[in-house]
Amino acid sequence: MIHYLDNEAKSIGQTAPINLYRPIEYTLNMGGKRLRPVMVLLAAELFGGKVDQVMNTALAVEIFHNFTLLHDDMMDKAELRRNKPAVHKKYNENIAILSGDAMSIMAYRYLLKTKLDRQSEILSLFTETAIEVCEGQQYDMDFETRLDVTVTEYLEMIRLKTAVLLACSFKMGALAANASDADAAHIYNFGINLGLAFQLQDDWLDCYADQDKFGKRIGGDILANKKTFLLINALERANKADKQELIGWLEKTQFDETEKIEAVKTIYRNTAVPEITQEAITAYYKQAIESIQHIAIAESLKKDLRDLADSILKREH
């Protein structure tokens, strides 16, 4: 998969106009975990499909995912992605917008390259998922101006913004291999719960990971006042003094960045937010594992899904 993706990225980067396609090559070559295409391939294999028949489906998911990162970085004013300059920083914002638009359409080009028995279902699923991801991103931006975001609202936002694409990746692989509707639904649910755990883990890592391994600045969400699971819980659980201090940091426009990060993390500790977040991650992980039990495949194959879930939850970036 990696070799195939690298070759396709190189080919894209050599296409004219260069200022449209070179940033796409740059984005795809940044590295990353390649989780979503792996999920497509793994699901297809689990249900007896052939990997070479779904390579373009897997590539479509990876291109779409990277398109969302490209635009998200610009919306979030993030300077780094995987320890490299974000596309809008390396090039400019107009190029980032147009290259991202091209990537979103290019994903469909790759989906249409492979003819599968359930191609229409796969296209419908992917299209609905793409809309849901945009809805999640809009909720995320709406939350920027609110101090009353609830945990329930936040979980729905990350379900749309993050979890549905993981679930879609698994289900597309299953459909490509002609899995039963029941099994396709179970592996989709596995992806949803794994995706929720994944994003909560990402929230936690933003505060507590090793920056060199994480690939982004530690505390970036704090500096950007992102409504993360940690911040929302802290606002709900803090005593009066801590809540006033926390809101004060959210309202400040000029501050020492290191001081703000440490002050907010102190309030997180006071409200047991790191532990609450880890408990939520574990709960969604357990729900994901429960979904595996209902899939009609051999126990030895279910282990592959468990191993993938374990690797995601033990990650450091």
Side-chain angles (χ1 to χ4, degrees):
M1 177 67 215
I2 302 300
H3 181 67
Y4 183 68
L5 177 60
D6 290 344
N7 285 340
E8 289 297 313
K10 183 177 181 180
S11 176
I12 291 168
Q14 294 172 346
T15 305
I18 293 297
N19 284 335
L20 176 67
Y21 292 108
R22 189 62 57 77
I24 296 175
E25 178 189 17
Y26 174 75
T27 300
L28 294 175
N29 281 335
M30 276 185 171
K33 294 171 283 294
R34 313 293 195 204
L35 283 177
R36 292 149 193 85
V38 167
M39 290 169 179
V40 174
L41 301 179
L42 175 59
E45 282 190 306
L46 292 177
F47 295 103
K50 296 181 179 178
V51 167
D52 59 349
Q53 290 183 331
V54 292
M55 290 297 285
N56 285 320
T57 306
L59 184 56
V61 172
E62 183 68 0
I63 289 174
F64 181 81
H65 170 60
N66 278 275
F67 140 68
T68 66
L69 298 182
L70 192 155
H71 277 189
D72 285 359
D73 284 344
M74 188 165 52
M75 294 177 196
D76 294 342
K77 297 180 174 58
E79 296 188 359
L80 295 177
R81 166 68 59 181
R82 296 164 186 154
N83 276 330
K84 296 179 182 179
V87 172
H88 67 280
K89 286 295 183 181
K90 182 174 176 63
Y91 298 94
N92 60 54
E93 290 193 357
N94 287 340
I95 284 177
I97 291 170
L98 194 56
S99 293
D101 290 345
M103 290 174 77
S104 68
I105 300 165
M106 194 178 292
Y108 280 93
R109 177 188 289 173
Y110 280 98
L111 276 181
L112 293 169
K113 279 187 176 185
T114 304
K115 303 302 179 184
L116 299 165
D117 293 342
R118 304 175 77 172
Q119 187 75 349
S120 63
E121 291 179 69
I122 291 172
L123 283 168
S124 294
L125 171 63
F126 184 78
T127 301
E128 182 61 29
T129 300
I131 292 294
E132 288 178 321
V133 171
C134 292
E135 291 171 353
Q137 177 64 13
Q138 184 60 57
Y139 281 129
D140 195 18
M141 291 190 295
D142 290 346
F143 292 171
E144 291 177 4
T145 57
R146 291 177 52 192
L147 287 175
D148 60 346
V149 179
T150 66
V151 170
T152 299
E153 286 178 307
Y154 180 75
L155 291 172
E156 174 61 8
M157 183 274 287
I158 64 172
R159 184 188 72 83
L160 292 167
K161 184 175 176 179
T162 300
V164 295
L165 190 55
L166 299 186
C168 171
S169 300
F170 281 120
K171 189 173 181 178
M172 286 202 303
L175 293 174
N178 294 315
S180 70
D181 289 345
D183 283 340
H186 289 317
I187 203 166
Y188 183 88
N189 288 334
F190 169 71
I192 288 291
N193 287 300
L194 185 61
L196 291 169
F198 175 86
Q199 184 56 54
L200 295 180
Q201 178 84 335
D202 211 50
D203 287 1
W204 187 89
L205 287 170
D206 186 84
C207 285
Y208 303 108
D210 181 317
Q211 181 166 315
D212 290 337
K213 295 178 180 178
F214 192 47
K216 295 184 289 185
R217 178 175 182 177
I218 297 301
D221 286 347
I222 292 174
L223 296 178
N225 292 339
K226 292 284 289 185
K227 302 304 188 301
T228 64
F229 188 79
L230 290 85
L231 177 59
I232 293 167
N233 272 284
L235 285 167
E236 288 186 356
R237 296 169 180 274
N239 60 35
K240 185 176 181 180
D242 278 350
K243 185 171 184 178
Q244 286 180 340
E245 181 183 353
L246 185 54
I247 291 174
W249 282 111
L250 294 174
E251 293 176 343
K252 285 183 180 180
T253 56
Q254 294 184 338
F255 50 81
D256 179 272
E257 293 185 347
T258 300
E259 183 183 1
K260 177 175 180 176
I261 291 170
E262 291 307 313
V264 171
K265 287 173 69 173
T266 296
I267 296 172
Y268 286 175
R269 287 194 296 273
N270 293 345
T271 51
V273 163
E275 294 80 8
I276 291 167
T277 305
Q278 287 295 327
E279 289 172 3
I281 292 167
T282 300
Y284 282 114
Y285 167 81
K286 289 181 177 178
Q287 289 182 51
I289 298 303
E290 175 63 25
S291 295
I292 298 175
Q293 306 308 317
H294 301 294
I295 302 174
I297 55 175
E299 286 299 320
S300 59
L301 297 177
K302 291 179 182 180
K303 182 179 182 298
D304 292 336
L305 290 174
R306 294 191 194 97
D307 288 346
L308 177 62
D310 289 344
S311 68
I312 288 173
L313 269 297
K314 292 176 182 177
R315 66 195 171 98
E316 295 181 302
H317 59 87

